[in-house]
Amino acid sequence: MNDKKQVYMIYGFLESGKTQFINFTLSQDYFYSEDTTLLLVCEEGMEEYDEDELKKRNVVVEVLDDYTDFNL
């Protein structure tokens, strides 16, 4: 049995289009997984995530306001 999970880290400058890229990528059929996808958000910018698309794709969003939240 393969217990390994894929992890993708998207980072960049403020207002560089990360949220748009993530919204686009999560909406693509090639990225879809029947498993739950966890989206860890470490900064909230001007753009919003498409809540309807996230629900449809079984994506759970967790906002981390402080790097120490990783230790919980």
Side-chain angles (χ1 to χ4, degrees):
M1 178 164 55
N2 185 0
D3 291 334
K4 294 182 181 182
K5 303 292 182 198
Q6 292 182 326
V7 175
Y8 300 92
M9 182 178 287
I10 311 299
Y11 59 93
F13 294 109
L14 292 175
E15 297 189 28
S16 62
K18 297 179 297 290
T19 303
Q20 289 178 338
F21 174 76
I22 292 168
N23 274 330
F24 173 79
T25 302
L26 290 173
S27 70
Q28 300 304 301
D29 289 337
Y30 63 80
F31 200 80
Y32 176 73
S33 171
E34 290 182 6
D35 294 331
T36 301
T37 298
L38 175 62
L39 176 59
L40 296 175
V41 178
C42 297
E43 70 176 31
E44 293 184 281
M46 302 297 286
E47 292 287 322
E48 299 279 330
Y49 289 99
D50 186 340
E51 297 290 331
D52 293 333
E53 192 67 31
L54 294 176
K55 287 179 187 175
K56 186 167 57 172
R57 297 291 179 158
N58 201 23
V59 177
V60 174
V61 178
E62 183 68 35
V63 178
L64 303 175
D65 294 321
D66 190 308
Y67 72 93
T68 59
D69 291 340
F70 278 107
N71 296 324
L72 296 178

